[in-house]
Amino acid sequence: MKLLHRFFIAIIVFSCTGTSFSQKIKPKKVKESMQQVADWQIANFDGLYSDRKKPHHPLDWTNAALYVGMAKWASMADDDTYYEWLKNIGEENEWQLHKRKYHADDHAVGQMYVELFQKYKDEKMIAPTKEQFSFLMFHPSQSVLNWGTPYHQDRWNWCDALFMAPPVLAKLYKVTGEKKYLDFMMSEFKASTDFLFDKEENLYYRDERYFDKLDNGTKVFWSRGNGWVFAGLVNIMNELDPKSEEYAYFLDIYKKMAKKLIEIQTPEGHWAMSLLGQEFYPTPETSGSSFYVYGLAWGVNNGILDKKTYEPAVKKGWNAMASHVTKDGMLGYVQPIGAAPGKAWPDKTEVYGTGAYLSAGTEVYKLYGGE
């Protein structure tokens, strides 16, 4: 009876929400939603909306993920207000990365610095980032990737890291032309993928602790964790020559993940917090899901993914994400900081969720005719 009841509930939910998925996506509406979300986040930059005790440090990975999306939004906004907001953060922090020298999370803000350098051509914006990565390449960590070993997070042994640090290196390679950044990124990314990627499911484990874990009988693939990877792949490929061997490596992983993702998208349009456990995690989650919308829309826009096959997933996903933006502009249902499937609430948000939503919006806008 319980299963039958659940089935009817699912049918009712799908019936009630299905009409929104058929709605035509209009570029003007996408842009309006993005601006509303960006403005709300800036106004509430130090707000505590996810049971935190104090605001994140401006250079923390959480905010760095916001800046990635905000920089994308700034590039399509009608004035330089958002660029100026980002530039002010860089200036106030003297263009430094965060405090841990080797930890990928503390490198992520470098993505914003390189974006601003590309606009303003001011070398001081990337000088500290170049210096720190030069040090790391001359003094590479000797740690192994196994969880809990000494200094294990000095390397990319958790999948989130593949969004945080590799795109910085790809961007440095693009703006400097120095291959050392590309070579180091490729070596470390391949090591992490060989360690964390499940070739049967074409998804990434969050870290070694989840290799043999089951959740209600399913393998544990954390949605936002794989969202970090999927968006990271796009952000890396954006900096590489599409004809290069390195690009081909990332494209292969990207296509495998994309194929899997449209197979496991929920009827409601989001992706379950445990990707293979929709039945056990019915609550929407907008940070991981927004990253998937971003990555899939990018693939269609670049002629990599077949539009007929993948556009419906983008449409359904974007409409679902936009439906969780409050009238004030807060993106709800963002899972709090974590490392595994959990819970999300309509009145809880986090800055990285906003970053993911803004990233998604830039590609959705292009897909539906925005210029």
Coordinates of all heavy atoms in Angstrom, one line a residue, residues 145 147 156-162 191-215 217-229 253 257 274-276 292 339-341:
L145 N 46.0 9.8 -2.4 CA 44.6 10.3 -2.5 C 43.7 9.6 -1.5 O 42.5 10.0 -1.4 CB 44.1 10.1 -3.9 CG 44.8 10.9 -5.0 CD1 44.4 10.5 -6.4 CD2 44.6 12.4 -4.8
W147 N 41.5 8.8 1.6 CA 40.9 9.7 2.6 C 41.5 9.4 4.0 O 41.7 8.3 4.4 CB 39.4 9.6 2.7 CG 38.8 10.7 3.4 CD1 38.4 10.7 4.7 CD2 38.5 12.0 2.9 NE1 37.8 12.0 5.0 CE2 37.9 12.7 3.9 CE3 38.6 12.6 1.6 CZ2 37.4 14.1 3.7 CZ3 38.2 13.9 1.4 CH2 37.6 14.6 2.5
W156 N 43.7 16.7 -5.0 CA 42.3 16.7 -5.3 C 41.7 15.4 -5.0 O 41.3 14.6 -6.0 CB 42.1 17.2 -6.7 CG 42.8 18.5 -7.0 CD1 43.1 19.5 -6.2 CD2 43.2 18.9 -8.3 NE1 43.7 20.5 -6.8 CE2 43.8 20.2 -8.2 CE3 43.1 18.4 -9.6 CZ2 44.3 20.9 -9.2 CZ3 43.7 19.1 -10.7 CH2 44.2 20.3 -10.5
N157 N 41.5 15.0 -3.8 CA 41.0 13.6 -3.5 C 39.5 13.6 -3.1 O 39.0 12.7 -2.6 CB 41.8 13.0 -2.4 CG 41.5 13.5 -1.0 OD1 41.1 14.7 -0.9 ND2 41.8 12.7 0.0
W158 N 38.8 14.8 -3.4 CA 37.3 14.8 -3.2 C 36.8 15.5 -4.5 O 37.4 16.5 -5.0 CB 37.0 15.5 -1.9 CG 37.2 17.0 -1.9 CD1 36.2 18.0 -1.8 CD2 38.4 17.7 -1.8 NE1 36.8 19.2 -1.8 CE2 38.2 19.1 -1.7 CE3 39.8 17.3 -1.7 CZ2 39.1 20.1 -1.6 CZ3 40.8 18.3 -1.7 CH2 40.5 19.6 -1.6
C159 N 35.7 15.1 -5.0 CA 35.3 15.5 -6.3 C 35.0 17.0 -6.4 O 35.1 17.6 -7.4 CB 34.1 14.7 -6.8 SG 32.5 15.0 -6.0
D160 N 34.6 17.7 -5.3 CA 34.3 19.1 -5.3 C 35.5 19.9 -5.8 O 35.4 20.9 -6.4 CB 34.0 19.6 -3.9 CG 33.1 18.7 -3.1 OD1 33.0 17.5 -3.3 OD2 32.5 19.3 -2.1
A161 N 36.7 19.3 -5.5 CA 38.0 20.0 -5.8 C 38.1 20.2 -7.3 O 38.8 21.2 -7.7 CB 39.2 19.2 -5.3
L162 N 37.5 19.4 -8.1 CA 37.6 19.5 -9.5 C 36.9 20.7 -10.1 O 37.1 21.1 -11.3 CB 37.1 18.2 -10.2 CG 37.9 16.9 -9.7 CD1 37.4 15.7 -10.5 CD2 39.4 17.1 -9.9
A191 N 44.7 11.9 -12.1 CA 44.9 11.1 -10.9 C 43.6 11.1 -10.1 O 43.2 10.0 -9.6 CB 46.0 11.7 -10.1
S192 N 43.0 12.2 -10.0 CA 41.7 12.3 -9.2 C 40.6 11.5 -9.9 O 39.8 10.7 -9.3 CB 41.2 13.7 -9.1 OG 42.2 14.5 -8.4
T193 N 40.5 11.6 -11.2 CA 39.5 10.9 -12.0 C 39.7 9.4 -11.9 O 38.8 8.6 -11.7 CB 39.4 11.4 -13.4 OG1 39.0 12.7 -13.4 CG2 38.4 10.5 -14.3
D194 N 40.9 8.9 -12.1 CA 41.2 7.5 -12.0 C 40.8 6.9 -10.6 O 40.4 5.8 -10.5 CB 42.7 7.3 -12.2 CG 43.2 7.5 -13.7 OD1 42.3 7.6 -14.5 OD2 44.4 7.6 -13.9
F195 N 40.9 7.8 -9.6 CA 40.6 7.4 -8.2 C 39.1 7.4 -7.9 O 38.5 6.5 -7.3 CB 41.3 8.3 -7.3 CG 41.3 7.9 -5.8 CD1 41.9 6.6 -5.5 CD2 40.8 8.7 -4.9 CE1 41.9 6.2 -4.1 CE2 40.8 8.3 -3.5 CZ 41.3 7.1 -3.2
L196 N 38.4 8.5 -8.4 CA 37.0 8.7 -8.0 C 35.9 8.4 -9.0 O 34.7 8.3 -8.6 CB 36.9 10.2 -7.6 CG 37.7 10.7 -6.5 CD1 37.6 12.3 -6.3 CD2 37.3 10.1 -5.1
F197 N 36.2 8.2 -10.2 CA 35.2 8.0 -11.3 C 34.8 6.6 -11.3 O 35.6 5.7 -11.5 CB 35.8 8.5 -12.6 CG 34.7 8.6 -13.7 CD1 33.7 9.5 -13.6 CD2 34.8 7.7 -14.8 CE1 32.8 9.6 -14.7 CE2 33.9 7.8 -15.9 CZ 32.9 8.8 -15.8
D198 N 33.5 6.3 -11.3 CA 32.9 5.0 -11.4 C 32.6 4.8 -12.9 O 31.6 5.4 -13.4 CB 31.6 4.9 -10.5 CG 31.0 3.5 -10.5 OD1 30.8 2.9 -11.6 OD2 30.7 3.0 -9.4
K199 N 33.3 3.9 -13.5 CA 33.1 3.7 -15.0 C 31.8 3.0 -15.3 O 31.4 3.0 -16.5 CB 34.3 2.9 -15.5 CG 35.6 3.7 -15.4 CD 36.8 2.9 -16.0 CE 38.1 3.7 -15.9 NZ 39.3 2.9 -16.4
E200 N 31.2 2.3 -14.4 CA 29.9 1.7 -14.6 C 28.8 2.7 -14.6 O 27.9 2.6 -15.5 CB 29.6 0.6 -13.6 CG 30.5 -0.6 -13.6 CD 30.2 -1.7 -12.6 OE1 29.2 -1.4 -11.8 OE2 30.8 -2.7 -12.5
E201 N 28.8 3.6 -13.7 CA 27.8 4.6 -13.6 C 28.1 5.9 -14.3 O 27.2 6.8 -14.4 CB 27.4 4.9 -12.1 CG 27.1 3.6 -11.3 CD 25.8 3.0 -11.8 OE1 25.0 3.6 -12.5 OE2 25.5 1.8 -11.4
N202 N 29.3 6.1 -14.6 CA 29.8 7.4 -15.2 C 29.5 8.6 -14.3 O 29.0 9.7 -14.8 CB 29.2 7.6 -16.6 CG 29.8 6.6 -17.7 OD1 31.0 6.4 -17.6 ND2 29.0 6.1 -18.5
L203 N 29.7 8.4 -13.1 CA 29.6 9.4 -12.1 C 30.8 9.4 -11.1 O 31.5 8.4 -11.0 CB 28.3 9.2 -11.3 CG 27.0 9.3 -12.1 CD1 25.8 8.8 -11.2 CD2 26.7 10.8 -12.5
Y204 N 30.9 10.5 -10.4 CA 32.1 10.5 -9.4 C 31.6 10.3 -8.0 O 30.6 10.8 -7.5 CB 32.7 11.9 -9.5 CG 33.6 12.2 -10.6 CD1 33.2 12.4 -11.9 CD2 35.0 12.2 -10.4 CE1 34.0 12.7 -13.0 CE2 35.9 12.5 -11.5 CZ 35.4 12.7 -12.7 OH 36.2 12.9 -13.8
Y205 N 32.4 9.5 -7.3 CA 32.2 9.4 -5.8 C 32.7 10.7 -5.2 O 33.7 11.3 -5.7 CB 33.0 8.2 -5.2 CG 32.5 6.9 -5.6 CD1 33.1 6.1 -6.6 CD2 31.3 6.4 -5.0 CE1 32.6 4.9 -7.0 CE2 30.8 5.1 -5.4 CZ 31.5 4.4 -6.4 OH 31.0 3.2 -6.7
R206 N 32.1 11.1 -4.1 CA 32.6 12.3 -3.5 C 34.0 12.2 -3.0 O 34.8 13.0 -3.2 CB 31.6 12.7 -2.3 CG 31.7 14.1 -1.8 CD 32.9 14.4 -0.9 NE 33.0 15.8 -0.5 CZ 33.8 16.2 0.4 NH1 34.6 15.4 1.1 NH2 33.9 17.5 0.6
D207 N 34.3 11.1 -2.3 CA 35.6 10.7 -1.9 C 35.7 9.2 -1.5 O 34.7 8.5 -1.7 CB 36.1 11.6 -0.7 CG 35.2 11.5 0.5 OD1 35.1 10.4 1.1 OD2 34.6 12.5 0.9
E208 N 36.8 8.8 -1.1 CA 37.0 7.3 -0.9 C 36.0 6.7 0.1 O 35.7 5.5 0.0 CB 38.5 7.1 -0.4 CG 38.8 5.6 -0.3 CD 40.2 5.5 0.4 OE1 40.5 6.3 1.4 OE2 40.9 4.5 0.1
R209 N 35.6 7.5 1.0 CA 34.7 7.0 2.1 C 33.4 6.4 1.5 O 32.7 5.7 2.1 CB 34.3 8.1 3.1 CG 35.5 8.5 3.9 CD 35.1 9.7 4.8 NE 34.8 10.9 3.9 CZ 34.4 12.1 4.4 NH1 34.2 12.2 5.7 NH2 34.2 13.1 3.6
Y210 N 33.0 6.8 0.2 CA 31.8 6.4 -0.3 C 31.9 5.2 -1.3 O 30.9 4.8 -1.9 CB 31.1 7.6 -1.0 CG 30.8 8.6 0.0 CD1 31.7 9.7 0.2 CD2 29.6 8.6 0.7 CE1 31.4 10.6 1.2 CE2 29.3 9.6 1.7 CZ 30.2 10.6 1.9 OH 29.9 11.5 2.8
F211 N 33.1 4.7 -1.5 CA 33.3 3.7 -2.5 C 32.4 2.4 -2.3 O 31.9 1.9 -3.2 CB 34.8 3.2 -2.5 CG 35.7 4.2 -3.2 CD1 37.1 3.9 -3.2 CD2 35.3 5.4 -3.7 CE1 38.0 4.8 -3.8 CE2 36.2 6.3 -4.3 CZ 37.5 6.0 -4.3
D212 N 32.4 2.0 -1.1 CA 31.6 0.8 -0.7 C 30.3 1.0 0.0 O 29.7 0.1 0.6 CB 32.5 -0.2 0.1 CG 33.8 -0.6 -0.7 OD1 33.7 -0.9 -1.9 OD2 34.9 -0.5 -0.1
K213 N 29.9 2.3 0.1 CA 28.7 2.6 0.9 C 27.5 2.4 0.0 O 27.5 2.7 -1.2 CB 28.8 4.1 1.3 CG 28.5 4.3 2.8 CD 28.7 5.7 3.1 CE 29.5 5.8 4.4 NZ 29.6 7.2 4.9
L214 N 26.4 2.0 0.6 CA 25.1 1.9 0.0 C 24.1 2.7 0.8 O 24.2 2.8 2.0 CB 24.6 0.5 -0.2 CG 25.4 -0.5 -1.1 CD1 24.8 -1.9 -1.1 CD2 25.5 0.1 -2.5
D215 N 23.2 3.4 0.1 CA 22.1 4.1 0.7 C 20.8 3.6 0.2 O 20.5 3.8 -1.0 CB 22.3 5.6 0.3 CG 21.3 6.5 1.0 OD1 20.3 6.0 1.6 OD2 21.5 7.8 1.0
G217 N 20.3 0.7 -0.6 CA 20.6 -0.3 -1.6 C 21.2 0.3 -2.9 O 21.6 -0.4 -3.8
T218 N 21.4 1.6 -2.9 CA 22.0 2.3 -4.1 C 23.4 2.8 -3.8 O 23.6 3.2 -2.7 CB 21.1 3.4 -4.7 OG1 21.1 4.5 -3.7 CG2 19.7 2.9 -4.9
K219 N 24.2 2.9 -4.8 CA 25.5 3.5 -4.7 C 25.3 5.0 -4.3 O 24.3 5.6 -4.8 CB 26.3 3.4 -5.9 CG 26.8 2.0 -6.3 CD 27.6 2.1 -7.6 CE 28.0 0.7 -8.0 NZ 28.8 0.7 -9.3
V220 N 26.2 5.6 -3.6 CA 26.0 7.0 -3.2 C 26.8 7.9 -4.1 O 28.0 8.0 -4.0 CB 26.5 7.2 -1.7 CG1 26.2 8.6 -1.3 CG2 25.8 6.2 -0.8
F221 N 26.1 8.6 -4.9 CA 26.7 9.6 -5.8 C 25.9 10.9 -5.4 O 24.8 11.2 -5.8 CB 26.5 9.3 -7.3 CG 27.2 8.1 -7.7 CD1 26.6 6.9 -8.0 CD2 28.6 8.1 -7.8 CE1 27.2 5.8 -8.4 CE2 29.3 6.9 -8.1 CZ 28.6 5.8 -8.5
W222 N 26.7 11.8 -4.8 CA 26.1 13.1 -4.2 C 25.8 14.0 -5.4 O 26.7 14.3 -6.2 CB 27.1 13.7 -3.3 CG 26.7 15.0 -2.6 CD1 25.5 15.4 -2.3 CD2 27.6 16.0 -2.3 NE1 25.5 16.6 -1.7 CE2 26.8 17.0 -1.7 CE3 29.0 16.2 -2.5 CZ2 27.4 18.2 -1.3 CZ3 29.5 17.4 -2.0 CH2 28.7 18.4 -1.4
S223 N 24.7 14.6 -5.5 CA 24.3 15.4 -6.6 C 25.2 16.6 -6.7 O 25.7 16.9 -7.8 CB 22.8 15.8 -6.5 OG 22.5 16.7 -7.6
R224 N 25.3 17.4 -5.7 CA 26.1 18.6 -5.8 C 27.6 18.3 -6.1 O 28.3 19.0 -6.9 CB 26.0 19.6 -4.6 CG 26.7 20.9 -4.9 CD 26.4 22.0 -3.9 NE 26.8 21.7 -2.5 CZ 26.0 21.7 -1.5 NH1 24.7 21.7 -1.7 NH2 26.4 21.4 -0.3
G225 N 28.1 17.2 -5.5 CA 29.4 16.8 -5.8 C 29.6 16.5 -7.3 O 30.6 17.0 -7.9
N226 N 28.7 15.8 -7.9 CA 28.8 15.6 -9.4 C 28.5 16.9 -10.1 O 29.1 17.1 -11.2 CB 27.9 14.5 -9.8 CG 28.5 13.1 -9.5 OD1 29.3 12.6 -10.4 ND2 28.3 12.6 -8.3
G227 N 27.7 17.8 -9.6 CA 27.5 19.1 -10.2 C 28.7 19.9 -10.2 O 29.1 20.6 -11.2
W228 N 29.5 19.8 -9.1 CA 30.8 20.5 -9.1 C 31.7 20.1 -10.3 O 32.3 20.8 -11.0 CB 31.6 20.3 -7.8 CG 31.1 20.9 -6.5 CD1 30.8 20.2 -5.4 CD2 30.9 22.3 -6.2 NE1 30.4 21.1 -4.4 CE2 30.4 22.4 -4.9 CE3 31.0 23.4 -7.0 CZ2 30.1 23.6 -4.3 CZ3 30.7 24.6 -6.4 CH2 30.3 24.7 -5.0
V229 N 31.7 18.7 -10.4 CA 32.6 18.2 -11.5 C 32.1 18.6 -12.9 O 32.8 19.1 -13.7 CB 32.6 16.6 -11.4 CG1 33.5 16.1 -12.6 CG2 33.2 16.2 -10.1
I253 N 34.8 12.6 -20.7 CA 34.1 12.5 -19.4 C 32.8 13.2 -19.4 O 31.8 12.7 -18.9 CB 35.0 13.1 -18.3 CG1 36.4 12.3 -18.3 CG2 34.3 13.0 -17.0 CD1 37.4 13.0 -17.4
M257 N 29.0 11.7 -18.6 CA 28.2 12.2 -17.6 C 26.9 12.8 -18.1 O 25.8 12.5 -17.5 CB 29.0 13.3 -16.8 CG 30.1 12.8 -16.0 SD 30.8 14.1 -14.9 CE 29.6 14.2 -13.6
S274 N 20.8 12.2 -3.8 CA 21.5 11.0 -4.1 C 21.1 10.5 -5.5 O 20.0 10.1 -5.7 CB 21.2 9.9 -3.1 OG 22.0 8.7 -3.3
L275 N 22.0 10.7 -6.5 CA 21.6 10.7 -7.9 C 20.8 9.4 -8.3 O 20.0 9.4 -9.2 CB 22.8 10.9 -8.8 CG 23.3 12.3 -8.8 CD1 24.6 12.4 -9.6 CD2 22.3 13.3 -9.4
L276 N 21.2 8.3 -7.7 CA 20.5 7.0 -8.0 C 19.4 6.7 -7.1 O 18.8 5.6 -7.2 CB 21.5 5.9 -8.1 CG 22.8 6.1 -9.0 CD1 23.6 4.8 -9.0 CD2 22.3 6.5 -10.4
Y292 N 23.9 21.2 -13.4 CA 23.6 20.3 -14.5 C 22.9 21.0 -15.6 O 23.2 20.8 -16.8 CB 22.7 19.1 -14.0 CG 23.3 18.2 -13.0 CD1 22.6 17.8 -11.9 CD2 24.7 17.9 -13.1 CE1 23.2 17.0 -10.9 CE2 25.3 17.1 -12.1 CZ 24.5 16.7 -11.0 OH 25.1 15.9 -10.0
A339 N 28.8 16.9 2.4 CA 29.6 16.1 1.5 C 28.8 14.8 1.1 O 29.3 13.9 0.5 CB 30.8 15.6 2.3
A340 N 27.5 14.8 1.3 CA 26.7 13.7 1.0 C 25.2 14.1 0.8 O 24.8 15.2 1.2 CB 26.8 12.7 2.2
P341 N 24.4 13.2 0.3 CA 22.9 13.5 0.2 C 22.4 13.9 1.6 O 22.8 13.4 2.6 CB 22.3 12.2 -0.3 CG 23.4 11.5 -1.0 CD 24.7 11.9 -0.3

